[in-house]
Amino acid sequence: MNLWERYNEEQLLGATLAELTGLPLMQCEEKTLFEVLKRHLTRKELRSWVMARGGADTAAISTETGLNDEEIGKAVHKAAKKIRQPKLRSEFQQLLANLEAEYE
């Protein structure tokens, strides 16, 4: 069980990323998507963003990451900003292209 599955049991990572990027990422494997996020986000940004998306309160996030409330807000905002950047979007698009090539 990865970090996303632990805090977001009912929500798919592909659906969340699709919402943020506007790409149809639901077809991609969750593990692959999570690996992309791990490459582009810092550990604290990733953990804060995942826990915040899962509805964890700031006290729980603070315990996990060692950040205070203000730093948690900044980390979550920075992670969401990075996810929307063209660099990460292009990597997601490449994943989709590879997936489509497999099915052809």
Side-chain angles (χ1 to χ4, degrees):
M1 175 184 291
N2 67 24
L3 182 67
W4 180 264
E5 293 166 344
R6 189 172 351 143
Y7 291 104
N8 297 276
E9 296 171 353
E10 297 175 10
Q11 195 172 13
L12 295 174
L13 179 58
T16 303
L17 292 174
E19 177 185 313
L20 288 172
T21 63
L23 298 171
L25 293 171
M26 297 244 342
Q27 300 106 347
C28 293
E29 218 176 288
E30 297 273 312
K31 184 177 180 180
T32 306
L33 293 172
F34 196 75
E35 291 297 321
V36 171
L37 290 177
K38 283 174 63 174
R39 277 197 303 275
H40 290 277
L41 303 176
T42 67
R43 181 175 285 173
K44 289 182 180 184
E45 287 170 350
L46 180 62
R47 190 168 293 274
S48 298
W49 181 77
V50 167
M51 292 178 74
R53 291 297 293 202
D57 61 347
T58 55
I61 297 172
S62 180
T63 301
E64 282 278 328
T65 61
L67 301 174
N68 64 35
D69 291 352
E70 184 180 323
E71 292 170 328
I72 291 168
K74 286 180 182 178
V76 170
H77 176 73
K78 204 170 180 184
K81 186 176 176 181
K82 284 182 179 180
I83 291 169
R84 287 189 209 96
Q85 286 182 336
K87 182 179 179 180
L88 198 56
R89 283 178 49 89
S90 68
E91 190 164 343
F92 288 139
Q93 285 174 328
Q94 191 172 16
L95 280 175
L96 288 169
N98 292 343
L99 189 63
E100 287 176 9
E102 283 180 24
Y103 287 116
E104 290 180 357

